[in-house]
Amino acid sequence: MSIVSRIRRHLGWKLFLSYLVIILVGMTVLLSAAEFVMPSAFERHLAAMAAMMGSDEALAADLFDNFRAAVTEAMALATVAAFLAAIIVSLFVTRRVVSPVQEMMVASQRIADGHYDERVAMPASMSQDEVDELSQLALSFNQMAATLEQTEAMRRELIGNVAHELRTPLSSIKGYMEGLIDGVLPAEATTFQQVFREADRLQRLVYDLQELSRVEAGAVELNVRPAPVSRAVETVTTRLGRQFEEKSVALEVDIPPDLPPVLVDEDRVVQVLLNLVGNALQYTPAGGRVCLRARPERGAVRVVVEDTGIGIPAEHLPHIFTRFYRVDKSRSRAGGGSGIGLTIAKHLVEAHGSQIQAASDGPGKGSTFSFTLPIA
């Protein structure tokens, strides 16, 4: 490797040469200034001494030559000393500057190889005043590495959850088909209906995963226009009304007749409400109640879905909109939920420029989900 290539590829050499260039430029300026100022300065001092020395021009010339030689010698010694000092200081400073950068380079290579737990070492005791740009860069690097590690963990968890959700209906379908082939199960409508239910569950899961991928990528296009909230609510109650009757759960609707229209994608709002009301029905036992109401609130309409169901423990509320997160895994899986409906609802509400909230007083005390929609 040539010297030029080595210099180009190593920050330490670049810093070292920059220090030497600064010394050279400084000494050149200093020598040039001395050469320019020295004759006139010598003449002024010689004029002040003329009374003692007389007007001997040969003596004056000899004195000037000796003065120039002394200045040149002093400047040469100063230049050598400055170079030696520059070498020592540059090695120290370069090590302090380059070493953290090299550590981050090594750490970044390990992260690129999949070691997401890699971190750059930071001083244990460092006050806020001691945090310089390199320390801030190291902190940002560690934060980035932590985010990547968390993202990788979520990716692995997502793959595991998807595999589990797909395996459950596929195993059921395979079991039914093996029973039919072996003659253990009768080839009658009931058996085929069971296979159809599992296939339908599998299809819903695939659709939910596709929808989740779109909403998380921000690829959902909204057809926003003025629409009454009551129409979306009516669509939801019509679709879910029979399920409420079959489970003996009361569905109450409280929508004021003078409620202003909202500026939304009506189909997406129906999708959000179907998720929220469907979840409320799933987790509300027979004899319970689900209330769907809407009220104007500071330039918007707040839609609330409240139930008297099993409730949500406080420690689960911050994670309730996380994909595949379940408060009660066994109950949720038995009900056939995919675990991503609330995540989709959250992203759809945020796509309208709003936020969705969940609240509960604890197990057995019901749950409340609410979100706002802008008034048209």
Side-chain angles (χ1 to χ4, degrees):
M1 183 184 297
S2 65
I3 297 178
V4 175
S5 299
R6 184 182 295 274
I7 292 173
R8 288 178 176 175
R9 295 187 60 182
H10 291 83
L11 178 61
W13 279 103
K14 292 180 181 179
L15 290 174
F16 175 71
L17 287 180
S18 67
Y19 299 142
L20 296 186
V21 169
I22 292 173
I23 294 295
L24 284 174
V25 172
M27 294 305 300
T28 300
V29 172
L30 185 59
L31 288 172
S32 300
E35 188 67 22
F36 178 77
V37 174
M38 186 168 50
S40 58
F42 179 78
E43 289 179 1
R44 287 197 305 272
H45 289 287
L46 186 61
M49 299 172 61
M52 296 182 293
M53 298 178 57
S55 57
D56 190 345
E57 294 183 0
L59 180 60
D62 186 54
L63 285 173
F64 181 73
D65 290 339
N66 285 296
F67 176 71
R68 180 192 291 272
V71 171
T72 302
E73 182 180 353
M75 296 296 289
L77 291 174
T79 301
V80 173
F83 265 92
L84 292 176
I87 292 174
I88 296 173
V89 173
S90 64
L91 290 176
F92 175 75
V93 174
T94 299
R95 185 180 298 274
R96 293 293 299 273
V97 172
V98 175
S99 293
V101 177
Q102 289 176 337
E103 289 180 10
M104 280 185 278
M105 181 183 68
V106 173
S108 65
Q109 289 174 346
R110 285 186 56 79
I111 290 176
D113 292 335
H115 302 282
Y116 296 103
D117 57 342
E118 191 72 20
R119 299 291 185 273
V120 176
M122 295 288 296
S125 59
M126 178 180 290
S127 64
Q128 191 65 27
D129 297 334
E130 295 175 341
V131 178
D132 55 12
E133 287 82 357
L134 281 175
S135 298
Q136 291 176 354
L137 179 60
L139 286 171
S140 299
F141 182 90
N142 287 341
Q143 291 173 355
M144 178 198 69
T147 302
L148 288 174
E149 184 178 16
Q150 182 180 10
T151 302
E152 176 64 11
M154 292 176 63
R155 184 188 69 83
R156 292 177 180 176
E157 183 181 3
L158 174 62
I159 292 175
N161 286 326
V162 170
H164 181 88
E165 294 297 336
L166 292 174
R167 184 171 61 247
T168 302
L170 285 174
S171 298
S172 298
I173 293 174
K174 183 179 179 181
Y176 281 116
M177 296 308 299
E178 288 178 348
L180 288 171
I181 293 172
D182 296 338
V184 177
L185 293 176
E188 57 187 24
T190 303
T191 304
F192 294 128
Q193 287 176 357
Q194 292 291 340
V195 175
F196 177 80
R197 289 194 192 97
E198 294 298 332
D200 184 60
R201 177 183 175 186
L202 188 61
Q203 185 179 35
R204 289 199 311 270
L205 175 61
V206 172
Y207 172 79
D208 287 344
L209 289 172
Q210 290 177 335
E211 186 71 5
L212 177 64
S213 176
R214 284 196 295 266
V215 298
E216 287 191 332
V220 176
E221 295 184 2
L222 299 179
N223 182 21
V224 178
R225 57 186 178 184
V229 175
S230 58
R231 190 163 62 194
V233 171
E234 183 179 356
T235 301
V236 172
T237 55
T238 300
R239 292 187 187 180
L240 298 179
R242 179 177 292 275
Q243 297 180 34
F244 273 88
E245 292 177 0
E246 292 175 351
K247 195 176 179 181
S248 299
V249 175
L251 176 59
E252 300 178 0
V253 176
D254 183 8
I255 307 293
D258 58 346
L259 193 68
V262 290
L263 192 62
V264 295
D265 185 326
E266 188 173 349
D267 292 336
R268 294 300 183 178
V269 172
V270 169
Q271 186 177 355
V272 172
L273 288 174
L274 284 172
N275 270 315
L276 297 181
V277 177
N279 273 355
L281 172 62
Q282 182 177 352
Y283 294 109
T284 300
R289 175 180 56 86
V290 175
C291 180
L292 177 56
R293 63 176 183 271
R295 293 289 186 276
E297 181 183 289
R298 296 193 299 272
V301 171
R302 177 167 294 279
V303 181
V304 179
V305 177
E306 184 179 14
D307 63 64
T308 59
I310 63 174
I312 304 172
E315 64 270 19
H316 294 289
L317 281 174
H319 313 288
I320 201 68
F321 294 105
T322 303
R323 56 189 177 188
F324 290 108
Y325 188 85
R326 287 182 170 87
V327 177
D328 186 341
K329 292 180 172 57
S330 60
R331 185 185 299 269
S332 185
R333 294 194 192 283
S338 65
I340 57 179
L342 289 179
T343 308
I344 295 174
K346 173 179 178 290
H347 284 285
L348 290 177
V349 170
E350 290 177 349
H352 286 84
S354 184
Q355 297 291 326
I356 187 170
Q357 293 90 29
S360 177
D361 292 333
K365 298 182 179 179
S367 306
T368 301
F369 290 83
S370 66
F371 60 94
T372 58
L373 299 172
I375 291 179

